[in-house]
Amino acid sequence: MADEGLWQRDKDEFGSGEYTSGPLAGQFVELTRLLLAASTPAQVLEQVVAAAYRVVPGADLVSVTLRAPDGTFHTPVSTGEVALELDEVQYRAGTGPCVDAADSGSPGYIRSEDLKAEKRWPDFSAAAVRHGYTAILSTVMMPEATPPRVPGALNIYSRRPGALDSQAQDSALLLATHGSLALAGTTAVSRAELESSHLRRAVESRDVIGQAKGILMQRRGLTADEAFDLLRRTSQDLNVKLAEVAQTLASRHSELDTP
């Protein structure tokens, strides 16, 4: 399972504190209850992503890939900036586990238990290993109930080679199926809603990161690239999202300047 600190952070963020400990079947019963209570696609995906830490052994980082009818991809929900970065590497390359899993001809899942030795996706594998993630499991999701039913994917990253084994695969497939059914049952399965929510968060994050960069550039005499690198390193060292680090700096910089 993910370390307790990471799970606690995502539990707070996604409101998943209602999950009960116990056998896998009990956890899925509780997940079903929460999914039935979700009223929007975004809420469904957030519950699915949060649940992945509890039901998929080895899960350390989770995201969801959606594929538009025109073939483009985006990540509406994730548990960290690194997930967004690694997903984007695959989108740019046009290949990778989440892209392959979301393909219309997908076998249902794509898995690699050792990305250090993986040859199928050299750009993605190298980026994942640089961030300390050595295994990946992507399972197909169907975010739409009506044709053309363009597939998406639930992506689970692990820091432990071999952690995402057949047991994890079965749990992830079951989780993705629950999520797909819940998405089909929402009253407004709207890709536009998910994309607008994603874009709104992206704009807000970009703005606050820009503010934080400006503060660092003025305070320390850094260039824009140097300021961003400092924010990124701080985010990784603290295991806190980049936007959260930037928000703290932007909102409390006057306090930090006080002797």
Side-chain angles (χ1 to χ4, degrees), residues 108-121:
Y109 70 91
I110 302 293
R111 189 175 90 204
S112 178
E113 296 186 58
D114 187 1
L115 290 173
K116 291 182 179 179
E118 183 59 64
K119 303 299 183 184
R120 287 175 288 181
W121 324 289

Side-chain angles (χ1 to χ4, degrees), residues 154-167:
L154 173 65
N155 312 306
I156 300 170
Y157 297 85
S158 180
R159 295 183 178 278
R160 290 152 282 177
L164 300 177
D165 56 12
S166 59
Q167 178 186 348

